[in-house]
Amino acid sequence: MIDEQHLLNYPIPEIRQVLRWQDVALYNLSVGLGQDPMDKAQLPYTYEPQMTALPSMPVVLGYPGFWLKAPDTGVDWVKVVHGEQSLILHRPVPVSGEIIGRSSVTGIVDRGPGKGALIYSDRVVLDAATGEKIATLESTTFARGDGGFGGKPGPVKPPHPEPKGAPEITCDLATRPEQAAYYRLNGDFNPLHIDPDVATKAGFPRPILHGLCTFGVVCHALLREMCGYDAARFGRMDLRFSSPVYPGETIRTEIWREEGGAAFRARVVERDIVVVSNGRFRFA
């Protein structure tokens, strides 16, 4: 069972990470870039002479690992899923150097017995040489098996409103059947994404794609459609994960232009199920 004060003060380790262009290439490829070898617009994200980090890459930088799996967190880790993710870029993501990641739990909401708990956390990603902020990440984890521990029922972070009417832009990007196996090499080793037995215990018919891999696919769509593959124009994205994606499915990102950016959501084409909702993108 969750001990609220213990979890709010949980000593998530600070992570120092040496970043190489090969790490950037692995991340970019693991979220699906490079599937069309004739698409020259994607070359800066796959080819080392001009290597550029996809703007969503900070989600795997300074990452402390699946720390909620530790027994002393009190969390039923098998039933944990990613609920929401926010990314704020303070500067372009470097392709080499040393990175520092500092993570902390910022809030816990008890939704009640049988209804789970929300765990809010953030991570600041810094350049180790200068101390300059690269990105700020805010996450909501839905601990489906941990409601009823006696905590407060709020405050709950309000989602961005859903857009109305037909989208102005749609972008279909395919995922690969083995994509979760590639994505986990970025450091997210939750067995839910590769072990069929763990997926079954969690209530899924087969391993699901990492929520942050879906995040990267949607980032790719926004980068293509809103920024013309210019990573320097990308400022922020926020979204809510509505349903899991299974590797091999096609993610269709639906976009509504707004002043300063766009609203968006995403659905799996094959099942016509919304997998990302309440999305907002902002230019740098």
Side-chain angles (χ1 to χ4, degrees):
M1 180 178 290
I2 288 177
D3 178 330
E4 184 173 12
Q5 288 306 310
H6 175 65
L7 199 55
L8 283 169
N9 295 290
Y10 197 83
I12 305 173
E14 176 179 291
I15 301 297
R16 285 181 172 261
Q17 174 184 357
V18 176
L19 184 64
R20 309 168 303 153
W21 72 260
Q22 292 95 330
D23 303 310
V24 175
L26 171 63
Y27 175 79
N28 293 347
L29 293 168
S30 75
V31 298
L33 280 98
Q35 292 191 42
D36 180 358
M38 297 304 292
D39 186 348
K40 292 184 180 180
Q42 294 189 36
L43 272 182
Y45 299 91
T46 59
Y47 187 36
E48 64 273 17
Q50 45 192 322
M51 185 59 64
T52 304
L54 195 70
S56 56
M57 189 177 181
V59 300
V60 301
L61 296 180
Y63 176 60
F66 189 31
W67 61 271
L68 281 170
K69 189 178 180 182
D72 66 335
T73 65
V75 174
D76 183 356
W77 66 268
V78 173
K79 295 183 179 179
V80 162
V81 293
H82 206 137
E84 298 169 312
Q85 182 65 50
S86 172
L87 162 70
I88 304 167
L89 288 176
H90 304 293
R91 50 164 286 191
V93 182
V95 297
S96 63
E98 188 176 15
I99 302 296
I100 297 173
R102 293 177 180 151
S103 304
S104 61
V105 176
T106 57
I108 307 171
V109 173
D110 188 351
R111 300 181 66 188
K115 297 180 180 179
L118 301 177
I119 302 171
Y120 296 116
S121 61
D122 64 21
R123 181 162 88 250
V124 178
V125 179
L126 308 114
D127 184 317
T130 65
E132 185 179 5
K133 281 186 182 181
I134 297 169
T136 300
L137 303 158
E138 297 176 353
S139 302
T140 304
T141 300
F142 182 23
R144 295 180 296 155
D146 295 291
F149 60 87
K152 298 181 180 66
V156 175
K157 177 183 174 182
H160 292 292
E162 282 280 79
K164 299 185 183 302
E168 298 174 54
I169 303 168
T170 61
C171 177
D172 288 6
L173 295 173
T175 66
R176 298 177 60 87
E178 73 279 19
Q179 194 154 330
Y182 293 142
Y183 186 84
R184 68 192 304 271
L185 300 179
N186 293 300
D188 188 341
F189 301 124
N190 186 340
L192 174 64
H193 306 292
I194 197 167
D195 188 329
D197 292 337
V198 173
T200 298
K201 289 178 183 177
F204 300 106
R206 55 193 174 102
I208 62 175
L209 196 63
H210 300 71
L212 288 179
C213 186
T214 298
F215 187 89
V217 175
V218 173
C219 175
H220 177 192
L222 294 168
L223 180 70
R224 185 173 92 173
E225 301 297 338
M226 299 299 296
C227 305
Y229 280 108
D230 182 358
R233 298 182 64 201
F234 202 105
R236 174 173 183 156
M237 65 182 287
D238 304 79
L239 57 75
R240 172 172 285 187
F241 297 106
S242 303
S243 189
V245 175
Y246 294 102
E249 294 184 318
T250 303
I251 298 174
R252 172 174 294 162
T253 302
E254 302 171 336
I255 302 169
W256 291 257
R257 288 189 179 92
E258 295 181 339
E259 184 177 355
F264 65 89
R265 69 175 173 231
R267 67 179 68 242
V268 162
V269 173
E270 291 82 356
R271 292 182 286 133
D272 193 27
I273 290 177
V274 173
V275 295
V276 161
S277 62
N278 307 97
R280 284 298 183 277
F281 160 76
R282 290 292 176 261
F283 290 109

